[in-house]
Amino acid sequence: MKILVTAKRVEDPESKIKVKPDGTGIVQEGLKYKINPFDEIGVEEGLRLVAKHQGEVVVVSIGGKEVQEQLRHALAMGAHRAVWVNHTGPLDQLAIAGLLQKVTEKEKPDLVILGKQSIDDDQNQVGQYLAEFLGWGQATFASKVESLESEQEKNKVPAVTLTADGKAVRVVREVDNGLATLECQLPAVVTTDLRLNQPRYASLPGIMKAKSKPIEELTPAKLGVDVTPAIQVLKLSSPPARKAGIKVPDVAALVDKLHNEAKVV
Amino acid sequence: MPIVLIVAEQQPDGNLRKASLNAISAGKQLADKAGAELHLVLLGKEPAKVADELKGSGAKAVHLGAAAELEHYLAETYAPAIAALAQELKADYVGMASTAQGKDLMPRVAARLKSAMATDITAINGSGADVTFTRPMWAGNVFAEVKLTTPVKVFTVRATEFAAAAGGQGAAEVKTFAPKVEASKTKFVEFKEVKSARPELTEARVVISGGRGTKGDFKEIEALADELGAAVGASRAVCDAGWVPNDLQVGQTGKVVAPALYIAAGISGAIQHLAGMKSSKTIVAINKDAEAPIFQVADYGIVADLFKVLPELRQELAKLK
């Protein structure tokens, strides 16, 4: 199996995001960057599938040279090689999906696995755009029935499974009020939800090996994609702050507040 | 006149998904601001079943597309049908509630229409051709005002930010159309419903959520929920641990809720959880750790063991009846 996975560079989800006073962006100072957590789950799932069925995991990222850090992270986890689409400046989901479409057509994987959303934009769009652009099937929000503390998880069993004839994947999806199961003919696009797996840590030998793994450099121009954004971000602002609350000494005081002040019970 | 097309959703049980009514009211607001006409579309095997519920929503027309192939929702079969209708109507805006289906489907519709899309909009600004959307980023720590510059603009609506449109009888004209049906490379296998006698998390007036502090024991949370007719929610940690079903998760990556009363028991208040409940009207936090970040957003906090507080709270509340 050949699997293409994505590795977007995003702000560390634990970091405090502050908007610049003029609303033109976020304060970059002191921020740490990581691979998008949902993408990391995608890398892990790709590695598990390849461990079971043989093949290759190719990781792709789009951005300036700093995204090589995220590519090296995925390579250290065990991905075989990397594709870097070198571009600085804003990109919207149409452009990103357009670039990924070209990379996919070039690499011809059986499966593309992406995070369901990136934790900066929170758009939750690229996988679906990509599937439509390619004319492929899609299974978004891939999850599994077993918990992250199950035996299957400890044994790193892939949750995305190949059908007996090897021509399709079976994916359990997290949807409203339950779990839906789909079977997608290969090639297909899968996007990951949180509970698909627990990504592995990169081992020291893995980190050493990653240094010599190849990173191929491409550009939007080389791929023939116009990346002029169709989404203009006019202004960023902070959400209205909640007014400071109070601590109450006991349950009787709480019920009194809820009944007489907030009037919600 | 510009056209706003809102996609309504039928649940697997055939009923209208309530969040559709919130998306319709966002569509009405958008239509008023853009000087447009509101149309609705519903696809399925038997969409006519819920058409009556949409007549009073202020829409000009409700378009029903019935086909046997549309019995089970698939993005690959629904997207061509909606995109084709949008093109036929010359729709300028296509939107839907930000449900699991909305999030799965609308980007595929947008891709087909070569359109830009805004996810989870919380406000509609401006008027005429200068309409912009406000949407959350970075787990709700930032709100962005965005302008989509493609001829057709696609969006999903955060249901908790818009009041539900009126259902029932009204002036909307119900029209049927033959949906464009394309072969799908994906097959529906099964849907396993997580059944609950309690109200839907996103629709409940009161939500009681448990976190790591419960150590997986939700008995007291459930008992209090039953006393208050509330929905039960959970933090990501307890869903990941498999203590409660995944669909109870409240947070940026789970359900976004905004009830009149939100009670967080044994939840520390990670950024991603706060993003899912910060818009609640009144927030109560119960936690043993006085430094837990949840207290920063809580209107009322109690620093104590939830296993002591919850039974007492239930008894005190019962006395109010």
Side-chain angles (χ1 to χ4, degrees), chain A residues 31 33 55 75 90-91 102 104 110 117 134-135 137 158 161 208 214 252-253:
Chain A
L31 284 182
Y33 292 85
L75 292 170
L91 288 172
K102 295 295 175 190
T104 305
D110 300 294
Q117 69 194 63
L134 292 164
T161 54
M208 296 311 290

Side-chain angles (χ1 to χ4, degrees), chain B residues 144-168:
Chain B
E145 186 185 349
V146 298
K147 188 171 169 65
L148 309 183
T149 62
T150 46
V152 184
K153 298 148 181 61
V154 179
F155 60 97
T156 58
V157 175
R158 179 168 283 190
T160 52
E161 299 297 324
F162 296 88

Side-chain angles (χ1 to χ4, degrees), chain B residues 123-204:
Chain B
I124 299 158
N125 323 295
S127 64
D130 291 324
V131 162
T132 63
F133 296 121
T134 301
R135 57 171 306 271
M137 293 169 83
W138 285 283
N141 285 296
V142 176
F143 281 81
E145 186 185 349
V146 298
K147 188 171 169 65
L148 309 183
T149 62
T150 46
V152 184
K153 298 148 181 61
V154 179
F155 60 97
T156 58
V157 175
R158 179 168 283 190
T160 52
E161 299 297 324
F162 296 88
Q169 287 307 306
E173 185 188 351
V174 176
K175 297 179 170 183
T176 56
F177 73 103
K180 179 183 166 83
V181 177
E182 284 188 8
S184 171
K185 290 172 180 157
T186 299
K187 197 171 79 189
F188 170 84
V189 179
E190 63 171 355
F191 171 65
K192 276 209 185 110
E193 192 179 357
V194 181
K195 284 217 168 75
S196 167
R198 298 199 180 86
E200 259 283 285
L201 248 182
T202 51
E203 292 161 15

Side-chain angles (χ1 to χ4, degrees), chain B residues 15 82 111 151 153 172 211 251:
Chain B
N15 292 320
I82 289 165
K153 298 148 181 61

Side-chain angles (χ1 to χ4, degrees), chain A residues 72-179:
Chain A
R72 293 282 175 213
H73 175 87
L75 292 170
M77 285 173 73
H80 299 82
R81 58 189 177 83
V83 175
W84 165 38
V85 182
N86 185 355
H87 176 79
T88 45
L91 288 172
D92 63 15
Q93 286 66 31
L94 269 166
I96 295 165
L99 293 169
L100 291 177
Q101 180 193 356
K102 295 295 175 190
V103 172
T104 305
E105 285 167 359
K106 193 167 166 290
E107 291 287 340
K108 299 184 176 57
D110 300 294
L111 202 59
V112 183
I113 310 180
L114 312 88
K116 73 166 181 180
Q117 69 194 63
S118 60
I119 58 128
D120 47 3
D121 281 341
D122 284 332
Q123 283 271 48
N124 196 331
Q125 298 174 3
V126 170
Q128 296 90 312
Y129 268 94
L130 178 63
E132 173 64 30
F133 285 171
L134 292 164
W136 292 7
Q138 75 183 47
T140 54
F141 323 146
S143 189
K144 64 177 163 197
V145 179
E146 301 85 16
S147 87
L148 289 177
E149 297 187 351
S150 63
E151 280 304 305
Q152 285 93 330
E153 178 56 29
K154 285 190 188 103
N155 295 324
K156 301 202 182 300
V157 176
V160 171
T161 54
L162 269 180
T163 52
D165 63 6
K167 289 182 178 160
V169 281
R170 194 173 258 246
V171 182
V172 175
R173 307 178 53 232
E174 251 183 62
V175 298
D176 293 326
N177 309 96
L179 295 171

